[in-house]
Coordinates of all heavy atoms in Angstrom, one line a residue:
F15 N -10.5 -6.7 21.2 CA -11.6 -7.0 20.4 C -11.2 -7.2 18.9 O -11.7 -8.2 18.3 CB -12.6 -5.9 20.5 CG -14.0 -6.2 19.8 CD1 -14.6 -7.4 19.9 CD2 -14.6 -5.2 19.1 CE1 -15.8 -7.6 19.3 CE2 -15.8 -5.4 18.5 CZ -16.4 -6.7 18.6
A16 N -10.3 -6.4 18.4 CA -9.8 -6.6 17.0 C -9.1 -7.9 16.9 O -9.2 -8.6 15.9 CB -8.9 -5.4 16.7
R17 N -8.3 -8.3 17.9 CA -7.5 -9.5 17.8 C -8.3 -10.8 18.0 O -7.8 -11.9 17.8 CB -6.4 -9.5 18.8 CG -5.3 -8.4 18.5 CD -4.4 -8.8 17.5 NE -3.4 -7.8 17.1 CZ -2.5 -8.0 16.2 NH1 -2.5 -9.1 15.5 NH2 -1.6 -7.1 15.9
Q18 N -9.6 -10.7 18.3 CA -10.4 -11.8 18.4 C -10.7 -12.4 17.0 O -11.0 -13.6 16.9 CB -11.7 -11.5 19.1 CG -11.5 -11.3 20.6 CD -12.8 -11.1 21.4 OE1 -13.8 -10.6 20.8 NE2 -12.8 -11.3 22.7
G19 N -10.6 -11.6 16.0 CA -10.7 -12.0 14.6 C -9.3 -12.3 14.1 O -8.4 -12.6 14.8
N20 N -9.2 -12.1 12.8 CA -7.9 -12.3 12.1 C -7.5 -11.0 11.3 O -7.8 -11.0 10.1 CB -7.9 -13.5 11.2 CG -6.5 -13.9 10.7 OD1 -5.6 -13.1 10.6 ND2 -6.3 -15.2 10.4
P21 N -6.9 -10.0 12.0 CA -6.7 -8.8 11.3 C -5.8 -8.9 10.0 O -6.1 -8.2 9.0 CB -6.0 -7.9 12.4 CG -6.4 -8.5 13.7 CD -6.6 -9.9 13.4
V22 N -4.9 -9.8 10.0 CA -4.0 -9.9 8.8 C -4.8 -10.4 7.7 O -4.7 -9.9 6.6 CB -2.8 -10.9 9.1 CG1 -2.1 -11.3 7.8 CG2 -1.8 -10.3 10.1
Q23 N -5.6 -11.4 7.9 CA -6.5 -11.9 6.8 C -7.5 -10.9 6.4 O -7.8 -10.8 5.2 CB -7.2 -13.2 7.2 CG -6.2 -14.4 7.2 CD -5.6 -14.6 5.8 OE1 -6.2 -14.6 4.8 NE2 -4.3 -14.9 5.8
D24 N -8.0 -10.1 7.3 CA -8.9 -9.0 7.0 C -8.3 -8.0 6.0 O -8.8 -7.7 5.0 CB -9.4 -8.3 8.2 CG -10.4 -9.1 9.1 OD1 -10.9 -10.1 8.6 OD2 -10.6 -8.6 10.2
V25 N -7.1 -7.6 6.4 CA -6.4 -6.6 5.6 C -6.1 -7.2 4.2 O -6.3 -6.5 3.2 CB -5.0 -6.2 6.2 CG1 -4.2 -5.3 5.3 CG2 -5.3 -5.4 7.5
L26 N -5.7 -8.4 4.1 CA -5.5 -9.0 2.7 C -6.8 -9.0 1.9 O -6.8 -8.7 0.8 CB -4.9 -10.4 2.9 CG -4.6 -11.1 1.6 CD1 -3.6 -10.4 0.7 CD2 -4.1 -12.6 1.8
S27 N -7.9 -9.4 2.6 CA -9.2 -9.4 1.9 C -9.6 -8.0 1.5 O -10.1 -7.8 0.4 CB -10.2 -10.0 2.9 OG -11.5 -9.9 2.4
W28 N -9.3 -7.0 2.3 CA -9.6 -5.6 2.0 C -8.8 -5.2 0.8 O -9.3 -4.4 -0.1 CB -9.5 -4.7 3.2 CG -10.3 -5.1 4.3 CD1 -11.4 -5.9 4.4 CD2 -10.1 -4.6 5.7 NE1 -11.9 -5.9 5.7 CE2 -11.1 -5.2 6.5 CE3 -9.1 -3.8 6.3 CZ2 -11.2 -4.9 7.9 CZ3 -9.2 -3.6 7.7 CH2 -10.2 -4.1 8.4
L29 N -7.5 -5.6 0.8 CA -6.7 -5.2 -0.4 C -7.2 -5.8 -1.7 O -6.9 -5.3 -2.7 CB -5.2 -5.6 -0.1 CG -4.5 -4.7 0.9 CD1 -3.2 -5.4 1.4 CD2 -4.1 -3.4 0.3
H30 N -7.8 -7.0 -1.6 CA -8.4 -7.6 -2.8 C -9.7 -6.8 -3.2 O -10.0 -6.7 -4.4 CB -8.7 -9.1 -2.5 CG -7.5 -9.9 -2.7 ND1 -6.9 -10.2 -3.9 CD2 -6.8 -10.6 -1.7 CE1 -5.8 -11.0 -3.7 NE2 -5.7 -11.2 -2.4
Q31 N -10.4 -6.4 -2.2 CA -11.7 -5.7 -2.5 C -11.5 -4.3 -3.0 O -12.2 -3.8 -3.9 CB -12.5 -5.6 -1.2 CG -13.1 -6.9 -0.7 CD -13.8 -6.7 0.6 OE1 -14.6 -5.8 0.8 NE2 -13.5 -7.6 1.6
A32 N -10.6 -3.5 -2.4 CA -10.3 -2.1 -2.8 C -9.3 -2.1 -4.0 O -8.3 -2.8 -4.0 CB -9.7 -1.4 -1.7
H33 N -9.7 -1.4 -5.1 CA -8.8 -1.4 -6.2 C -8.1 -0.1 -6.3 O -7.3 0.2 -7.2 CB -9.6 -1.7 -7.5 CG -10.0 -3.1 -7.6 ND1 -10.3 -3.7 -8.8 CD2 -10.0 -4.1 -6.7 CE1 -10.6 -5.0 -8.6 NE2 -10.4 -5.2 -7.3
H34 N -8.4 0.8 -5.4 CA -7.6 2.1 -5.3 C -7.6 2.5 -3.9 O -8.3 2.1 -3.0 CB -8.3 3.2 -6.2 CG -9.6 3.6 -5.7 ND1 -10.8 2.9 -6.0 CD2 -10.0 4.6 -4.9 CE1 -11.8 3.5 -5.5 NE2 -11.4 4.5 -4.7
G35 N -6.6 3.4 -3.6 CA -6.4 3.9 -2.2 C -5.8 5.3 -2.3 O -5.6 5.9 -3.4
T36 N -5.6 5.8 -1.1 CA -4.9 7.1 -1.0 C -3.4 6.9 -0.7 O -3.1 6.4 0.4 CB -5.6 8.0 0.0 OG1 -6.9 8.2 -0.3 CG2 -4.9 9.4 0.1
L37 N -2.6 7.3 -1.6 CA -1.1 7.2 -1.4 C -0.7 8.5 -0.7 O -0.9 9.6 -1.3 CB -0.4 7.0 -2.7 CG 1.1 7.1 -2.6 CD1 1.7 5.9 -1.9 CD2 1.7 7.2 -4.0
S38 N -0.1 8.5 0.4 CA 0.4 9.6 1.1 C 1.9 9.6 1.1 O 2.5 8.6 1.6 CB -0.1 9.7 2.6 OG -1.5 10.0 2.6
T39 N 2.5 10.6 0.5 CA 4.0 10.8 0.4 C 4.4 12.1 1.1 O 3.5 12.9 1.4 CB 4.4 10.8 -1.0 OG1 3.8 11.9 -1.7 CG2 4.1 9.5 -1.7
L40 N 5.7 12.2 1.4 CA 6.2 13.4 2.0 C 6.6 14.4 0.9 O 7.5 14.1 0.1 CB 7.3 13.1 3.0 CG 6.9 12.2 4.1 CD1 8.2 11.8 4.9 CD2 5.9 12.9 5.0
N41 N 6.0 15.6 0.9 CA 6.2 16.5 -0.2 C 7.6 17.1 -0.2 O 8.2 17.3 0.8 CB 5.2 17.7 0.0 CG 4.6 18.2 -1.3 OD1 5.3 18.1 -2.3 ND2 3.5 18.9 -1.2
V42 N 8.1 17.2 -1.5 CA 9.4 17.8 -1.6 C 9.3 19.2 -2.2 O 10.3 19.9 -2.3 CB 10.3 16.9 -2.5 CG1 10.6 15.6 -1.9 CG2 9.8 16.7 -3.9
K43 N 8.1 19.6 -2.6 CA 7.9 21.0 -3.1 C 8.3 22.0 -2.1 O 7.9 21.9 -0.9 CB 6.5 21.2 -3.6 CG 6.2 22.5 -4.3 CD 4.8 22.6 -4.8 CE 4.6 23.9 -5.4 NZ 3.3 24.2 -5.8
E44 N 9.1 23.0 -2.4 CA 9.8 23.8 -1.4 C 8.8 24.5 -0.4 O 9.0 24.5 0.8 CB 10.5 25.0 -2.1 CG 11.4 25.8 -1.2 CD 12.3 26.8 -1.9 OE1 12.7 26.5 -3.1 OE2 12.5 27.8 -1.4
E45 N 7.7 25.0 -0.9 CA 6.7 25.7 -0.1 C 6.0 24.7 0.9 O 5.5 25.2 2.0 CB 5.6 26.4 -0.9 CG 6.1 27.3 -1.9 CD 6.4 26.6 -3.2 OE1 5.7 25.8 -3.8 OE2 7.5 27.0 -3.8
T46 N 5.9 23.5 0.6 CA 5.2 22.5 1.5 C 6.1 21.3 1.8 O 5.6 20.2 2.1 CB 3.9 22.0 0.8 OG1 4.2 21.6 -0.5 CG2 2.9 23.2 0.7
A47 N 7.4 21.5 1.7 CA 8.3 20.4 2.0 C 8.1 19.7 3.4 O 7.9 20.4 4.4 CB 9.8 20.8 1.9
G48 N 8.0 18.4 3.4 CA 7.9 17.6 4.6 C 6.4 17.4 5.0 O 6.2 16.6 5.9
F49 N 5.5 18.1 4.4 CA 4.1 17.9 4.7 C 3.6 16.7 3.8 O 4.0 16.5 2.7 CB 3.3 19.1 4.4 CG 3.5 20.2 5.4 CD1 4.4 21.2 5.2 CD2 2.7 20.3 6.5 CE1 4.6 22.2 6.1 CE2 2.9 21.3 7.5 CZ 3.9 22.3 7.2
P50 N 2.6 16.0 4.3 CA 2.0 14.8 3.6 C 1.2 15.3 2.4 O 0.6 16.4 2.4 CB 1.2 14.1 4.5 CG 1.0 14.9 5.7 CD 2.0 16.0 5.7
L51 N 1.3 14.6 1.3 CA 0.5 14.8 0.1 C -0.2 13.6 -0.2 O 0.4 12.5 -0.4 CB 1.4 15.2 -1.1 CG 0.7 15.3 -2.5 CD1 -0.1 16.6 -2.5 CD2 1.8 15.4 -3.6
G52 N -1.6 13.6 -0.3 CA -2.4 12.5 -0.6 C -2.8 12.5 -2.1 O -3.1 13.5 -2.7
S53 N -2.8 11.3 -2.7 CA -3.2 11.1 -4.1 C -3.9 9.8 -4.2 O -3.6 8.8 -3.6 CB -1.9 11.0 -5.0 OG -1.1 12.1 -4.9
I54 N -5.0 9.8 -5.0 CA -5.7 8.6 -5.3 C -4.9 7.8 -6.3 O -4.5 8.3 -7.3 CB -7.1 8.9 -5.9 CG1 -8.0 9.6 -4.8 CG2 -7.8 7.6 -6.3 CD1 -8.3 8.9 -3.6
V55 N -4.7 6.5 -6.0 CA -3.9 5.7 -6.9 C -4.6 4.3 -7.0 O -5.0 3.7 -6.0 CB -2.4 5.5 -6.5 CG1 -1.6 6.8 -6.6 CG2 -2.3 4.9 -5.1
P56 N -4.7 3.8 -8.2 CA -5.1 2.4 -8.3 C -3.9 1.5 -7.9 O -2.7 2.0 -8.0 CB -5.3 2.2 -9.8 CG -5.5 3.5 -10.4 CD -4.7 4.4 -9.5
F57 N -4.1 0.3 -7.4 CA -3.0 -0.6 -7.1 C -3.4 -2.0 -7.3 O -4.6 -2.3 -7.5 CB -2.6 -0.4 -5.6 CG -3.7 -0.8 -4.6 CD1 -3.7 -2.1 -4.1 CD2 -4.7 0.0 -4.2 CE1 -4.7 -2.6 -3.3 CE2 -5.7 -0.4 -3.3 CZ -5.7 -1.7 -2.9
A58 N -2.4 -2.9 -7.3 CA -2.7 -4.3 -7.4 C -1.7 -5.0 -6.4 O -1.0 -4.3 -5.7 CB -2.3 -4.8 -8.8
L59 N -1.8 -6.3 -6.3 CA -1.0 -7.0 -5.3 C -0.1 -8.0 -6.0 O -0.5 -8.6 -7.0 CB -1.9 -7.8 -4.3 CG -2.9 -7.0 -3.5 CD1 -3.7 -8.0 -2.7 CD2 -2.2 -6.0 -2.6
D60 N 1.1 -8.1 -5.6 CA 2.0 -9.1 -6.1 C 1.7 -10.4 -5.4 O 0.8 -10.5 -4.6 CB 3.5 -8.7 -6.0 CG 4.0 -8.7 -4.6 OD1 3.3 -9.1 -3.7 OD2 5.2 -8.3 -4.4
K61 N 2.4 -11.5 -5.8 CA 2.1 -12.8 -5.3 C 2.4 -13.0 -3.8 O 2.0 -13.9 -3.2 CB 2.7 -13.9 -6.1 CG 4.1 -13.9 -6.2 CD 4.6 -15.0 -7.2 CE 6.1 -14.9 -7.5 NZ 6.5 -15.9 -8.5
Q62 N 3.1 -12.0 -3.2 CA 3.4 -12.0 -1.8 C 2.4 -11.1 -1.0 O 2.7 -10.8 0.2 CB 4.9 -11.5 -1.5 CG 5.9 -12.6 -1.7 CD 6.3 -12.7 -3.2 OE1 6.3 -11.7 -3.9 NE2 6.5 -13.9 -3.6
G63 N 1.4 -10.6 -1.7 CA 0.4 -9.7 -1.0 C 0.9 -8.3 -0.8 O 0.3 -7.6 0.0
R64 N 1.9 -7.9 -1.5 CA 2.4 -6.5 -1.3 C 1.8 -5.6 -2.4 O 1.8 -5.9 -3.6 CB 3.9 -6.5 -1.5 CG 4.7 -7.2 -0.4 CD 6.2 -7.3 -0.7 NE 6.4 -8.0 -1.9 CZ 7.6 -8.4 -2.4 NH1 8.7 -8.0 -1.7 NH2 7.8 -9.1 -3.5
P65 N 1.2 -4.5 -2.0 CA 0.6 -3.6 -2.9 C 1.7 -2.9 -3.8 O 2.8 -2.6 -3.4 CB 0.0 -2.5 -2.1 CG -0.1 -3.0 -0.7 CD 1.0 -4.0 -0.6
F66 N 1.3 -2.7 -5.1 CA 2.2 -2.0 -6.0 C 1.3 -1.1 -6.9 O 0.2 -1.3 -7.1 CB 3.1 -2.9 -6.8 CG 2.4 -3.8 -7.8 CD1 2.2 -3.4 -9.1 CD2 1.9 -5.0 -7.4 CE1 1.5 -4.2 -10.0 CE2 1.2 -5.9 -8.3 CZ 1.0 -5.4 -9.6
I67 N 2.0 0.0 -7.3 CA 1.3 1.1 -8.0 C 2.0 1.3 -9.3 O 3.2 0.9 -9.5 CB 1.2 2.4 -7.2 CG1 2.6 2.9 -6.8 CG2 0.3 2.2 -6.0 CD1 2.6 4.2 -6.0
F68 N 1.4 2.0 -10.3 CA 2.0 2.2 -11.6 C 1.8 3.7 -11.8 O 0.7 4.2 -12.0 CB 1.2 1.5 -12.6 CG 1.9 1.3 -14.0 CD1 3.2 1.0 -14.1 CD2 1.1 1.5 -15.1 CE1 3.8 0.9 -15.3 CE2 1.7 1.3 -16.4 CZ 3.1 1.0 -16.5
I69 N 2.9 4.5 -11.6 CA 2.8 5.9 -11.6 C 3.8 6.6 -12.6 O 4.9 6.1 -12.9 CB 3.0 6.5 -10.2 CG1 4.3 6.0 -9.5 CG2 1.8 6.1 -9.3 CD1 4.6 6.6 -8.1
A70 N 3.4 7.8 -13.0 CA 4.2 8.5 -14.0 C 5.4 9.3 -13.4 O 5.3 9.8 -12.3 CB 3.3 9.5 -14.7
N71 N 6.4 9.4 -14.1 CA 7.6 10.1 -13.7 C 7.3 11.6 -13.4 O 7.9 12.2 -12.5 CB 8.7 10.1 -14.7 CG 9.3 8.7 -14.8 OD1 9.2 7.9 -13.9 ND2 10.0 8.4 -15.9
I72 N 6.3 12.2 -14.1 CA 6.0 13.6 -13.9 C 5.1 13.9 -12.7 O 4.9 15.0 -12.3 CB 5.3 14.2 -15.1 CG1 3.9 13.5 -15.4 CG2 6.2 14.1 -16.3 CD1 3.1 14.2 -16.5

Side-chain angles (χ1 to χ4, degrees):
F15 188 41
R17 294 281 180 181
Q18 287 181 337
N20 189 335
V22 168
Q23 286 302 317
D24 287 348
V25 170
L26 181 60
S27 174
W28 300 343
L29 284 164
H30 281 290
Q31 291 175 47
H33 289 197
H34 66 275
T36 303
L37 174 68
S38 292
T39 57
L40 297 174
N41 216 337
V42 295
K43 187 176 178 185
E44 190 174 328
E45 304 84 46
T46 53
F49 287 91
L51 173 70
S53 305
I54 297 294
V55 292
F57 68 89
L59 301 176
D60 71 5
K61 60 186 172 186
Q62 281 83 35
R64 296 173 295 187
F66 66 92
I67 56 178
F68 196 44
I69 54 178
N71 290 341
I72 64 170

